[in-house]
Amino acid sequence: KRKKRKMSLKTSICEVMTKSIPQVDNATIEYLEAMLEECVEEKSPTNEQEWIELFQEILTPLNQNDVSDISETLVFVLQDRGLLVKIIEEKQKRINAKKEIISVGSSCLALMQEDSEYHPAVVKSINLTSDPQTIVVQFNEFSKEQITPKENIILIDNIGNDDDEETSASGNCCVCHRSMPITLHHLIPKSVHPQYKKKGFTVEVLSQTIPVCRPCHSVIHSTEDEATLAQSYRTLEAILQHETIIKWTLYARKQKELGKTDHFSKYK
């Protein structure tokens, strides 16, 4: 028997919202889920009443007549399914990921001075006193050591672990053009949707995505903070002109196309 595909946290939350909130379309449900993520980042609710108040704040703009009742129902169902705990766990994962801790022995991709392209490498030492902080890496293919600025290093552990929307099949990544398992990159990142909603951006515009593979998706988010991505890189054309993306795609397009196998696992 085929195993049932595990439902993502976002899909589970959207399913509960769809059943609990009357007369709202899918785009609005996705927007509410993004608002929930943003509010949790800011307020970190710790008890049932705080969760209810958080949902009341999110739902008030919908002009529903029974916001209080809907909020209580949402909290009850999400708590009963263990989803409130998972929401907080995912928040902590995002906090940890942003720290991007580099340590001796970490597998990474680093820009080699000779060709200005990314190559698999291992961190050999870290100079914490230099400004900017510098790192010595050794390239796997060439056994060559090189002093490298931190911004020219991408940790292998941060590639392919992006927790964004994943489609059910492989497709062509619009960044590296390989046939890969595809994720959907929001051209305006979800974390800044509340601010852009206030600026007059519609739900349709905020929901615009492009199909990218997990490695490319992770590299996009590593190039700039999400506010900068939203302001300056909210089109595919702009993303492809970013210096780091140009160098990354030169590397990525040389790699073989993947199914579900993690190409980078051999470097861990």
Side-chain angles (χ1 to χ4, degrees):
K1 294 182 180 180
R2 295 180 62 184
K3 291 184 178 180
K4 185 177 180 181
R5 188 168 183 264
K6 186 178 180 181
M7 190 179 295
S8 70
L9 177 59
K10 174 180 176 175
T11 302
S12 299
I13 294 170
C14 288
E15 181 185 70
V16 173
M17 286 183 170
T18 300
K19 292 179 179 179
S20 304
I21 307 172
Q23 299 178 341
V24 290
D25 56 26
N26 290 336
T28 302
I29 290 294
E30 288 197 2
Y31 172 72
L32 291 173
E33 191 276 335
M35 284 286 292
L36 172 61
E37 183 177 314
E38 175 70 13
C39 289
V40 169
E41 292 288 339
E42 293 180 357
K43 301 189 176 183
S44 298
T46 58
N47 57 54
E48 184 175 315
Q49 185 56 39
E50 289 179 357
W51 278 106
I52 292 173
E53 292 172 358
L54 184 147
F55 275 103
Q56 288 174 342
E57 178 181 337
I58 294 172
L59 296 174
T60 295
L62 295 182
N63 296 318
Q64 297 276 349
N65 294 325
D66 47 358
V67 168
S68 295
D69 290 342
I70 294 174
S71 298
E72 290 180 10
T73 299
L74 282 169
V75 171
F76 174 80
V77 176
L78 292 170
Q79 189 172 38
D80 184 62
R81 296 189 182 185
L83 296 177
L84 295 185
V85 172
K86 290 183 179 179
I87 291 171
I88 296 300
E89 289 176 349
E90 289 302 315
K91 174 187 174 181
Q92 189 58 49
K93 287 181 182 179
R94 290 192 295 272
I95 292 173
N96 293 339
K98 288 178 181 178
K99 294 178 181 178
E100 290 190 336
I101 299 174
I102 298 178
S103 58
V104 174
S106 294
S107 297
C108 65
L109 295 174
L111 281 179
M112 183 179 286
Q113 294 170 348
E114 285 78 1
D115 59 10
S116 295
E117 293 187 15
Y118 282 100
H119 297 274
V122 175
V123 175
K124 302 299 289 186
S125 64
I126 303 172
N127 187 343
L128 299 175
T129 60
S130 62
D131 186 19
Q133 186 181 103
T134 56
I135 299 167
V136 175
V137 300
Q138 183 177 53
F139 293 98
N140 296 357
E141 300 173 66
F142 312 103
S143 298
K144 171 188 181 297
E145 291 193 359
Q146 172 185 294
I147 298 175
T148 306
K150 184 178 179 181
E151 59 267 24
N152 288 346
I153 291 176
I154 301 171
L155 288 178
I156 294 294
D157 288 341
N158 290 341
I159 296 177
N161 292 321
D162 191 86
D163 190 32
D164 220 308
E165 301 169 55
E166 184 175 0
T167 62
S168 59
S170 294
N172 290 324
C173 172
C174 62
V175 174
C176 68
H177 303 313
R178 294 177 295 171
S179 177
M180 301 276 282
I182 290 298
T183 66
L184 299 179
H185 169 66
H186 282 80
L187 291 171
I188 299 177
K190 292 190 296 181
S191 64
V192 299
H193 280 191
Q195 296 95 303
Y196 276 75
K197 181 71 172 177
K198 293 177 183 178
K199 293 179 181 180
F201 284 67
T202 65
V203 172
E204 288 73 22
V205 172
L206 295 175
S207 300
Q208 290 178 352
T209 61
I210 56 174
V212 294
C213 65
R214 283 185 172 274
C216 287
H217 200 164
S218 295
V219 173
I220 290 172
H221 281 278
S222 73
T223 57
E224 304 285 350
D225 60 61
E226 298 201 333
T228 303
L229 287 176
Q231 181 176 354
S232 303
Y233 298 96
R234 58 173 179 254
T235 66
L236 174 60
E237 291 75 17
I239 290 171
L240 293 176
Q241 291 173 7
H242 192 288
E243 182 179 0
T244 298
I245 299 299
I246 291 172
K247 294 175 180 177
W248 160 256
T249 53
L250 288 173
Y251 169 82
R253 289 172 183 175
K254 294 177 182 178
Q255 311 309 308
K256 65 180 181 180
E257 297 178 345
L258 308 179
K260 291 294 184 180
T261 304
D262 180 4
H263 168 67
F264 300 102
S265 62
K266 65 181 179 180
Y267 297 122
K268 292 182 180 180

